Amino acid sequence: MLLFFTDRRKVWKVGQVAGLDQGELTALLERRRVPDGMPVLLDEAIRPVEPLCSWFRRLAMERMAPKTMKAYAHTALMLLNFLHKWDQDLRSATEQDIRDFEAWRRADGRTTVEDSIWDRDSAAIGRLYAYLVEIGYVAARPWRLVRGRTSLGSRMSHEVRVRHMELEQYLFCRDVRFGSLLPTAELDEPFRGCSPQRNPRRASSRC
């Protein structure tokens, strides 16, 4: 299979397109709005591979970033090639087939991937199968719900969780951590910090 990505600028660089004059080509591109960066998957006979091409167009119409579409397209192509290797396809794939693909990507593939890359792969596969269910190509996703979740991802959190200190927590940190006091408010005589009287003032001045 051959994977391409649309680029209208390259069409004009080619010049003449077989079977179309310049006016017809201009009218066609005006009539059929093809977003740049949309993936197009063709088979050996240069025919569109469905339902992937329709899914790619859906992603493009939803204004997905070209970089993301490219990543999703490569994931879908890898999955399809993996399934074909074992005489399976998107419709006949089982949960075990999808898990085997994950294992291959993580350990046995030519280039193994970390959690963050697999999370992107799983997002692409999840979105693909959501589309296949929507159009009736498959009855349901081939994997089971786990605690109400439909994702195949690693469950690794990508959010930076920052929690601000309460005032009492800050004062405790300032006086005990920087100010040579014990939690009981008594002087910590073994304290070896530099400038114990100046440190709390510095901490306060940076707030």
Side-chain angles (χ1 to χ4, degrees):
M1 286 179 282
L2 305 172
L3 181 61
F4 299 94
F5 300 91
T6 57
D7 188 339
R8 284 178 291 179
R9 292 173 299 178
K10 291 185 178 180
V11 175
W12 299 121
K13 289 181 180 179
V14 170
Q16 294 296 324
V17 176
L20 294 174
D21 60 32
Q22 197 72 6
E24 291 174 328
L25 179 59
T26 301
L28 178 62
L29 292 179
E30 184 67 24
R31 171 70 178 85
R32 300 294 183 185
R33 294 286 181 173
V34 179
D36 286 339
M38 184 182 75
V40 178
L41 184 62
L42 305 178
D43 62 15
E44 290 75 8
I46 316 300
R47 296 173 300 191
V49 176
E50 293 291 359
L52 286 180
C53 280
S54 294
W55 178 56
F56 294 151
R57 183 167 180 81
R58 167 71 69 84
L59 297 179
M61 292 297 101
E62 292 177 352
R63 298 180 179 274
M64 178 175 281
K67 184 177 180 179
T68 305
M69 284 195 293
K70 184 176 182 179
Y72 276 28
H74 282 295
T75 297
L77 180 57
M78 283 190 293
L79 175 62
L80 198 59
N81 286 334
F82 180 85
L83 293 174
H84 286 174
K85 180 180 178 180
W86 303 107
D87 297 323
Q88 300 287 349
D89 56 26
L90 294 173
R91 181 174 278 152
S92 63
T94 65
E95 179 176 6
Q96 187 59 51
D97 294 322
I98 303 299
R99 295 299 179 185
D100 287 344
F101 174 71
E102 177 185 358
W104 174 77
R105 282 286 280 153
R106 286 181 175 274
D108 302 327
R110 184 175 301 175
T111 303
T112 57
V113 297
E114 302 295 336
D115 283 345
S116 59
I117 303 299
W118 171 248
D119 284 347
R120 186 192 64 193
D121 287 348
S122 66
I125 296 171
R127 195 154 180 173
L128 169 60
Y129 269 97
Y131 172 76
L132 298 181
V133 171
E134 178 185 336
I135 65 174
Y137 189 81
V138 297
R141 295 178 177 89
W143 58 89
R144 295 165 293 175
L145 293 175
V146 178
R147 297 179 182 177
R149 299 174 72 256
T150 60
S151 174
L152 296 167
S154 65
R155 302 187 184 181
M156 181 181 69
S157 175
H158 298 279
E159 297 180 359
V160 178
R161 298 183 179 180
V162 178
R163 185 173 68 86
H164 296 285
M165 285 184 176
E166 299 291 341
L167 178 59
E168 292 182 358
Q169 293 173 323
Y170 161 70
L171 293 176
F172 182 86
C173 178
R174 183 196 66 180
D175 296 338
V176 175
R177 176 65 180 84
F178 299 110
S180 72
L181 294 181
L182 294 171
T184 58
E186 298 174 342
L187 181 64
D188 184 6
E189 295 183 358
F191 181 76
R192 295 180 178 274
C194 178
S195 303
Q197 300 303 318
R198 190 185 307 168
N199 289 340
R201 290 197 297 272
R202 286 181 175 177
S204 297
S205 66
R206 294 177 181 177
C207 296

